[in-house]
Amino acid sequence: MTETTPSPQASEPQIDLLELLGLLWDSRWLIALVAVIGAGFGVLYSMSQTPIYRANSLVQVEPEQSGLLAVSQLSGLNTAGIGVGAELELLKSRTVLSEVVDELGLDVSVSFNYYPYIGKAMASRFNGATGQLADPLFGEGYAWGGEILEVSALDVPAGYIGRALQLTSTNGGWKLWASEPGEGQPVLSGPVGERVVGNGFTLQVDQLVAHPGTRFTVVKRPKLGAIMALQGGLQISEQRRESGILRLEFEHPDPALARAILDVVGENYVRQNIQRSSAAVAQSLEFLQQTLPRVKQDLEVAERRFNDYKVNAGVIDIGAEASILLSESVALEKRLEEIKLQRQEIQRRFQPDHPRYQEWLFQIAELETRLGNLGGKIAVLPETQQELIRLRRDVEVGNEIYLQMLSKIQQLDIAKAGAIGNVRVVDNAVVFNEPVSPRSALVVMVSGLSSFLLSCVVVLLRGFILGGVENPDVIERMGLPVYAGIPFSKAQLALEAKQRKKEKSRTRRGVDTTLLAMKNPAEPAIEAVRSLRTSLHFAMLGADNNILMISGPSTNVGKTFLSANLAAVIAQGGQKVLLIDCDLRRGTAHRLLNTSNQKGLSSILLGQSGLAQAAVDTAVTGLNFIPRGTAPVSPSELLMSERFETLLKEAADQYDLVIVDTPPILAVTDAAIVGKHAGTTMLVTRFGVNPAKEIELTRRRFELNGIQVKGVVLNAIVKKASAYGYGSYRYYNYSYKSEHQS
């Protein structure tokens, strides 16, 4: 038993940017394929989606233009109009949209019955003329393109609101089912273009173009739900801040319906705006008409008193000074009465603490103060002149107020008859020719890019988590020297394929060895084996014996390939070599050397033959081979027998080198048993297959059994961008042939 020495701890792994780029470059074709597949799925997704079209229109909200229309200007009151923000909310109000739902029948939902997965995409690609239908491919009741169903009226019992009803087309008519078609009787049936009532249902189909038996789904939606859906789809924004221009947008699969919705929204909004304006005019007109009789009565009383006083007092007219005071007093009184007439309008529009209300009170107080000052001047006149001024003032003020009210009533009558609002539709709705969704180019680009990035992430994760060792430095950091790197041989694959083809034939004529060292000795892989031979010569100088065990962590790492070709190369150097296939379960070295497997190691261990009888000659001079023989029941127990130890001692005495090919140590314990008799143990790992943890576990498994691994051979190396740091292991890129081989 050899002493084990602790292996140095591997340094912390570091991220190498060039290695990352190399991993991606090595998998470039896989990444490209995944990206193309992802883009293909993006194309299929785009084709399966219903195109969505966008309609837009412009509405202008102007400041309230008074003229004959606004009471505020007629009354001299400065009021502010409704802001754009309020108009925006009014556009989306239930009052406006409710009429849109009723006018366009948006509470009735109609959907086609497409074949699963592919039906909608195929129907959308049908470009026949209006009224032309696509031929059904397979299945019954499916829409394949060109179908039209227009429903103008649908009423259902309360319990069926929101429930899906099935409508099937017939020759010249339709049938409506409350359940699946064919189950029971239809609740309604009738011709196209007529309203049919029965069983609590009402339906009128205006247009139906479909093959007989085509199915449609019809739903009577709750009106509030239809309004809320319309509110959610209607997008309104101000073109530019404080511009008063509102942009309306709506998206729908039916471009004509999207355009119609915006047009009807604009029309209803303008109409309701006019109604709001005319309603304000009507209220003011009603107030003036109710007040006019009282003003006329007061005027008549004032005139009668004035005339009676002149007759009784015998006064014809007032003096010059009194006339001036009278004119000023009449103007102030008229203005005061005008402002007082605004009381009802002010109280209706504003709260007492509103600035407009406070301004109105201030105007009254100011006029009353001026009238008080003017009254002081009148008080110094003779009593007769004072009374004449008062009576004359009442007459003139009343007459002015009466005439002004008559004028305003006429103006409001005209305003009511020709009322216009402060909003108007600037641009009617238009629809873009190209759908806004799905954006096929964007979907394909995003899906392709996402697939590309995802594949890159998977490649990197696979390389760092599941990938095997590709750099010898990783192995050497574990304390295991790498003795050689064997390049991957395509020539060996060709030999094995040719051999399998011959073995499948009924005659084994022409079956030959697949030993690469014999068939193609100039192959770079064999040159690497020769380099390993030289390294092993010096490595085994201090060994206990001339027995070399070759093992590996797992299957399919190339142990048998390396063992057989190494034995052949050493034998070609003039040494006497014995190769033993110690894999009693699945050994295949006899196929590689094209020898019989009737007698072998199992025969020796069972006492049925000896070394001389089991060892066979090979095509290589100086190389003898002991195949595994027939598979025994308990291989491990046989390897622990004294016969096996005796066999190895005898072989070591008769041969210059004994090479033992063993099963993988992580699979079975055979290699640990054989390793106790071997002077040198070599480990074979496969490039990109065995992870670092697996190699470390293999080394520890040998050390637990008292076996020291001399070194590692990295087999089947391929040229990869991620393996840029191999240094001397890149020699297999070149070949050095004799002149007659060139």
Side-chain angles (χ1 to χ4, degrees):
M1 181 183 299
T2 59
E3 293 184 358
T4 61
T5 58
S7 62
Q9 297 295 326
S11 59
E12 292 294 329
Q14 297 180 354
I15 297 178
D16 193 326
L17 180 59
L18 291 178
E19 185 176 356
L20 296 180
L21 295 177
L23 286 172
L24 297 177
W25 179 254
D26 293 333
S27 303
R28 59 189 181 277
W29 298 116
L30 175 63
I31 295 174
L33 178 61
V34 172
V36 170
I37 293 175
F41 277 111
V43 173
L44 294 177
Y45 173 81
S46 300
M47 294 175 59
S48 65
Q49 297 302 302
T50 302
I52 303 298
Y53 295 88
R54 176 183 296 165
N56 64 47
S57 63
L58 292 181
V59 173
Q60 182 182 16
V61 179
E62 300 174 333
E64 283 193 359
Q65 298 297 327
S66 302
L68 296 177
L69 307 180
V71 181
S72 59
Q73 187 181 28
L74 294 175
S75 61
L77 179 66
N78 183 20
T79 60
I82 300 177
V84 173
E87 297 289 349
L88 188 148
E89 295 301 324
L90 287 174
L91 266 169
K92 300 182 70 172
S93 65
R94 290 194 298 270
T95 303
V96 174
L97 300 185
S98 175
E99 297 185 6
V100 179
V101 171
D102 292 337
E103 184 173 346
L104 298 178
L106 299 181
D107 56 345
V108 178
S109 173
V110 176
S111 58
F112 295 174
N113 180 33
Y114 294 112
Y115 193 83
Y117 305 112
I118 64 172
K120 183 182 291 187
M122 298 187 67
S124 64
R125 296 175 65 85
F126 179 71
N127 296 321
T130 303
Q132 183 180 357
L133 294 171
D135 295 330
L137 297 181
F138 35 81
E140 296 181 356
Y142 296 109
W144 294 100
E147 290 78 11
I148 300 175
L149 174 60
E150 293 183 2
V151 177
S152 60
L154 175 63
D155 291 322
V156 298
Y160 287 89
I161 294 179
R163 289 180 54 180
L165 305 176
Q166 301 298 320
L167 185 145
T168 59
S169 62
T170 61
N171 290 320
W174 50 266
K175 291 182 180 181
L176 184 67
W177 307 77
S179 58
E180 288 295 323
E183 297 180 2
Q185 295 296 323
V187 296
L188 280 182
S189 62
V192 176
E194 294 185 11
R195 177 169 296 198
V196 182
V197 181
N199 298 322
F201 293 84
T202 301
L203 177 62
Q204 180 174 345
V205 177
D206 292 337
Q207 187 177 7
L208 176 59
V209 179
H211 292 290
T214 303
R215 296 168 54 184
F216 303 87
T217 301
V218 183
V219 180
K220 178 68 174 181
R221 304 165 59 191
K223 186 173 181 180
L224 181 59
I227 293 174
M228 294 181 65
L230 187 56
Q231 286 177 332
L234 186 61
Q235 303 295 327
I236 306 176
S237 59
E238 192 173 7
Q239 281 283 86
R240 191 175 66 253
R241 184 176 177 83
E242 299 181 358
S243 65
I245 304 295
L246 301 181
R247 182 181 183 88
L248 281 65
E249 293 183 340
F250 191 79
E251 296 180 358
H252 197 271
D254 186 352
L257 181 58
R259 182 174 59 251
I261 287 174
L262 288 189
D263 284 338
V264 176
V265 167
E267 293 171 2
N268 289 339
Y269 175 59
V270 171
R271 182 171 61 253
Q272 292 190 15
N273 180 265
I274 293 174
Q275 291 174 355
R276 292 201 312 269
S277 300
S278 62
V281 173
Q283 289 179 354
S284 298
L285 182 60
E286 181 182 3
F287 169 73
L288 291 177
Q289 289 174 341
Q290 291 175 354
T291 307
L292 185 62
R294 179 181 60 80
V295 174
K296 183 179 181 181
Q297 183 181 1
D298 292 344
L299 175 59
E300 291 174 349
V301 172
E303 288 178 342
R304 187 168 55 252
R305 287 178 180 177
F306 178 66
N307 292 330
D308 291 344
Y309 183 79
K310 286 197 301 181
V311 172
N312 294 332
V315 179
I316 299 176
D317 204 352
I318 60 176
E321 183 181 0
S323 179
I324 296 173
L325 294 175
L326 175 62
S327 299
E328 295 180 5
S329 178
V330 168
L332 292 175
E333 284 288 348
K334 184 178 70 172
R335 179 60 181 159
L336 183 61
E337 287 298 325
E338 290 177 354
I339 294 178
K340 287 182 178 180
L341 285 175
Q342 300 172 8
R343 177 185 300 276
Q344 185 176 359
E345 184 73 17
I346 284 291
Q347 291 177 346
R348 182 178 64 85
R349 286 176 174 263
F350 307 108
Q351 296 293 331
D353 57 347
H354 194 276
R356 299 298 182 189
Y357 195 98
Q358 295 296 323
E359 181 183 354
W360 177 77
L361 292 177
F362 176 78
Q363 291 179 2
I364 292 178
E366 183 183 11
L367 291 174
E368 288 178 345
T369 300
R370 293 175 62 184
L371 281 173
N373 295 335
L374 188 60
K377 295 181 181 180
I378 296 175
V380 301
L381 296 176
E383 183 177 351
T384 302
Q385 295 295 318
Q386 293 181 29
E387 187 65 18
L388 282 175
I389 291 175
R390 185 180 64 80
L391 295 175
R392 179 71 177 274
R393 180 184 61 193
D394 291 343
V395 172
E396 291 189 8
V397 170
N399 188 55
E400 289 288 339
I401 294 297
Y402 180 72
L403 293 176
Q404 188 179 54
M405 289 183 66
L406 285 177
S407 175
K408 289 182 178 179
I409 289 175
Q410 292 176 353
Q411 292 176 355
L412 289 174
D413 280 333
I414 298 173
K416 183 179 179 181
I420 60 173
N422 66 320
V423 299
R424 65 187 182 93
V425 177
V426 178
D427 290 333
N428 290 324
V430 294
V431 180
F432 296 100
N433 294 329
E434 295 295 328
V436 296
S437 176
R439 298 180 179 178
S440 301
L442 181 61
V443 170
V444 172
M445 182 180 68
V446 170
S447 58
L449 181 60
S450 300
S451 302
F452 172 79
L453 295 177
L454 180 61
S455 60
C456 290
V457 172
V458 171
V459 166
L460 294 177
L461 290 178
R462 184 188 64 181
F464 283 96
I465 297 177
L466 302 178
V469 173
E470 297 180 354
N471 193 328
D473 293 340
V474 177
I475 301 176
E476 291 180 348
R477 283 197 293 266
M478 301 178 188
L480 294 173
V482 178
Y483 274 72
I486 310 299
F488 179 79
S489 176
K490 294 182 180 179
Q492 179 65 29
L493 285 182
L495 288 174
E496 293 175 356
K498 184 177 180 181
Q499 190 75 344
R500 284 192 298 268
K501 184 177 180 180
K502 290 181 178 180
E503 288 178 352
K504 288 181 180 179
S505 60
R506 294 189 177 273
T507 61
R508 293 180 54 87
R509 187 184 311 169
V511 174
D512 198 0
T513 179
T514 57
L515 195 63
L516 188 62
M518 292 292 296
K519 290 294 185 179
N520 195 350
E523 176 73 15
I526 300 304
E527 292 293 342
V529 172
R530 293 190 180 97
S531 175
L532 174 62
R533 175 192 61 185
T534 304
S535 301
L536 284 175
H537 172 74
F538 295 101
M540 296 181 65
L541 291 178
D544 295 338
N545 54 45
N546 60 347
I547 301 174
L548 171 64
M549 183 184 73
I550 297 179
S551 184
S554 59
T555 58
N556 299 321
V557 296
K559 299 182 290 75
T560 302
F561 167 81
L562 179 64
S563 300
N565 283 280
L566 178 62
V569 168
I570 295 176
Q572 289 172 346
Q575 298 189 45
K576 190 176 182 182
V577 182
L578 175 64
L579 174 63
I580 303 176
D581 187 354
C582 205
D583 188 350
L584 297 177
R585 294 172 176 83
R586 300 174 57 184
T588 59
H590 61 282
R591 298 178 183 174
L592 193 64
L593 296 171
N594 192 24
T595 62
S596 174
N597 193 38
Q598 295 298 323
K599 292 183 179 181
L601 180 60
S602 60
S603 302
I604 298 176
L605 298 180
L606 291 173
Q608 299 174 356
S609 64
L611 172 62
Q613 293 78 23
V616 297
D617 294 332
T618 65
V620 181
T621 303
L623 174 60
N624 293 131
F625 171 57
I626 300 179
R628 63 176 174 86
T630 57
V633 178
S634 53
S636 299
E637 285 72 10
L638 290 178
L639 293 175
M640 295 176 65
S641 64
E642 294 183 0
R643 289 193 181 96
F644 181 68
E645 183 178 0
T646 302
L647 170 65
L648 292 180
K649 290 182 179 179
E650 184 179 353
D653 294 337
Q654 297 181 17
Y655 292 89
D656 298 323
L657 178 64
V658 178
I659 299 178
V660 184
D661 180 18
T662 63
I665 182 65
L666 297 182
V668 292
T669 60
D670 295 5
I673 298 173
V674 176
K676 294 181 179 181
H677 304 289
T680 305
T681 298
M682 295 296 295
L683 190 65
V684 180
T685 63
R686 192 176 182 92
F687 180 88
V689 173
N690 301 114
K693 291 184 178 180
E694 190 174 81
I695 299 174
E696 176 66 19
L697 180 60
T698 301
R699 180 186 64 83
R700 291 181 180 178
R701 183 71 58 84
F702 277 117
E703 289 180 351
L704 288 174
N705 290 276
I707 302 169
Q708 183 180 6
V709 178
K710 191 68 174 180
V712 176
V713 177
L714 188 59
N715 189 33
I717 297 176
V718 295
K719 292 186 289 184
K720 298 178 68 174
S722 57
Y724 68 95
Y726 285 5
S728 59
Y729 295 99
R730 306 192 99 187
Y731 62 86
Y732 61 83
N733 290 337
Y734 310 96
S735 61
Y736 191 77
K737 300 180 179 180
S738 302
E739 291 183 358
H740 66 275
Q741 292 177 319
S742 58

